[in-house]
């Protein structure tokens, strides 16, 4: 049901339910489900996506097989207009599925060209591993795979990366250790750039900074990607206690602590 709703919508699911009651479309329904199931597997697996993007012949073979199944269903319509409408909607979904690949190649090339002007080539990651590992956080809730994962080396790079992503029309998600339980790091849109801040690991010694109306306060300056435990250890080395004590402090980062008000 989830797969049908994803590709065809609620009305098509209701159509399938009504056709099931007639018990005359069992084989055809199975072939339609096979088509939708194959597309679902590809749409949820970035490793298969990249394989098909890099192998046009394999991609063509898959799409040809999908269309062949639809033709077999068409032969069995027997004038059933309701089933014909469902078949047309499935054929449209297959067409959109086929169009995704050249569109994705074009989008990736455009994004890569723009980002290479502001960060190193190896900081721009379209790999299956990067995309799947940045699709969820500690909630394990998964909605969409991000388009790209970016790993800037400096704070200044992040400024320029954000500007580039805005110009490209991408949704932006900053991400630290990915330990949150509120879904703050989960992409909801396919055209999302996740900016991973884990490389920003600058950590100062404890310094006493004069704050207006308060006086001197022991302070540590850190990059957003510094793991919380390192700040706690640094404070302790100078005789202080860093009072923030999340259960994830061996993996969570200061940037995430602050942005999520932890």
């Amino acid at each position: 049901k989830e797969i049908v709703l994803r590709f065809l919508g609620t009305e098509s699911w209701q159509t399938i339910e009504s056709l099931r009651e007639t018990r005359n479309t069992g084989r055809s329904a199975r072939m339609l489900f096979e088509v939708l199931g194959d597309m679902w597997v590809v749409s949820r697996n970035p490793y298969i996506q990249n394989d098909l993007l890099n192998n046009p012949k394999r991609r063509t073979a898959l799409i040809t097989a999908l269309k062949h199944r639809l033709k077999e269903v068409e032969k069995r319509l027997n004038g059933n207009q309701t089933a014909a409408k469902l078949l047309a909607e499935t054929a449209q979904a297959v067409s959109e599925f086929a169009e995704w690949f050249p569109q994705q190649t074009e989008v990736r090339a455009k994004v890569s060209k723009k980002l290479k002007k502001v960060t190193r080539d190896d900081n721009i990651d379209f790999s299956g591993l990067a995309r799947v590992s940045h699709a969820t956080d500690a909630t394990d809730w998964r909605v969409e795979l991000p388009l790209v994962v970016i790993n800037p080396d400096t704070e200044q790079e992040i400024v320029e990366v954000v500007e580039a992503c805005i110009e490209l029309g991408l949704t932006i998600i900053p991400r630290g250790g990915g330990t949150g339980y509120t879904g703050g790091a989960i992409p909801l849109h396919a055209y999302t750039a996740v900016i991973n801040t884990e490389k920003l690991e600058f950590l100062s010694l404890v310094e006493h900074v004069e704050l207006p109306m308060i006086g001197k306060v022991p302070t540590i300056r850190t990059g957003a990607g510094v793991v919380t435990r390192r700040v706690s250890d640094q404070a302790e080395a100078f005789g202080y206690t860093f009072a923030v004590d999340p259960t994830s402090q061996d993996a969570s980062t200061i940037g995430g602590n602050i942005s999520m008000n932890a």
Side-chain angles (χ1 to χ4, degrees):
K1 181 178 179 180
E2 181 182 353
I3 294 171
V4 171
L5 292 176
R6 177 75 171 233
F7 286 116
L8 305 181
T10 304
E11 186 177 341
S12 292
W13 175 252
Q14 293 170 347
T15 299
I16 290 173
E17 292 283 75
S18 66
L19 288 171
R20 275 177 172 166
E21 294 175 1
T22 67
R23 300 185 182 278
N24 293 322
T25 57
R27 182 173 173 78
S28 296
R30 282 195 297 273
M31 284 192 285
L32 281 179
F33 287 154
E34 287 172 0
V35 169
L36 296 173
D38 284 351
M39 292 195 298
W40 177 257
V41 168
V42 174
S43 70
R44 304 303 289 177
N45 191 315
Y47 297 98
I48 299 178
Q49 289 176 6
N50 284 356
D51 180 61
L52 294 174
L53 285 167
N54 295 328
N55 293 276
K57 288 184 178 180
R58 194 173 297 170
R59 182 169 77 234
T60 299
L62 171 63
I63 294 168
T64 300
L66 297 178
K67 291 181 177 179
H68 173 73
R69 288 199 195 111
L70 295 183
K71 287 181 180 178
E72 291 300 309
V73 174
E74 186 176 13
K75 293 177 182 177
R76 295 169 169 79
L77 286 178
N78 295 323
N80 188 324
Q81 293 304 307
T82 302
K85 182 174 181 292
L86 180 63
L87 177 62
E89 291 168 346
T90 306
Q92 177 61 32
V94 170
S95 295
E96 292 173 0
F97 174 77
E99 291 167 2
W100 179 88
F101 293 96
Q103 291 171 356
Q104 183 74 183
T105 299
E106 183 179 342
V107 168
R108 289 189 183 191
K110 182 179 179 181
V111 170
S112 183
K113 181 179 179 181
K114 187 80 172 177
L115 291 175
K116 283 180 181 177
K117 295 178 181 179
V118 297
T119 190
R120 292 203 329 259
D121 188 8
D122 58 356
N123 286 343
I124 307 163
D125 202 340
F126 295 98
S127 71
L129 177 60
R131 293 174 66 213
V132 76
S133 62
H134 288 74
T136 188
D137 54 16
T139 64
D140 201 33
W141 184 41
R142 301 168 193 271
V143 180
E144 285 284 355
L145 292 164
L147 170 68
V148 62
V149 177
I150 311 165
N151 301 278
D153 294 303
T154 67
E155 290 179 9
Q156 181 55 39
E157 273 185 32
I158 288 186
V159 175
E160 296 167 350
V161 165
V162 167
E163 290 175 346
C165 288
I166 291 172
E167 291 177 17
L168 289 164
L170 300 178
T171 298
I172 303 168
I173 294 179
R175 180 187 172 101
T179 61
Y181 281 101
T182 59
I186 296 175
L188 301 180
H189 307 282
Y191 292 102
T192 295
V194 175
I195 302 177
N196 189 308
T197 64
E198 290 179 298
K199 284 187 179 179
L200 307 182
E201 292 191 306
F202 170 80
L203 179 66
S204 76
L205 301 176
V206 173
E207 304 166 345
H208 287 80
V209 177
E210 186 78 31
L211 297 182
M213 302 175 64
I214 295 177
K216 287 190 175 182
V217 176
T219 305
I220 295 175
R221 183 173 181 272
T222 84
V226 173
V227 173
T228 309
R229 172 72 70 182
R230 290 183 61 204
V231 177
S232 297
D233 291 345
Q234 185 79 301
E236 186 176 353
F238 282 80
Y240 296 100
T241 297
F242 183 57
V244 177
D245 186 29
T247 55
S248 61
Q249 67 173 316
D250 290 312
S252 64
T253 63
I254 290 299
N257 295 165
I258 295 171
S259 67
M260 301 306 294
N261 197 30

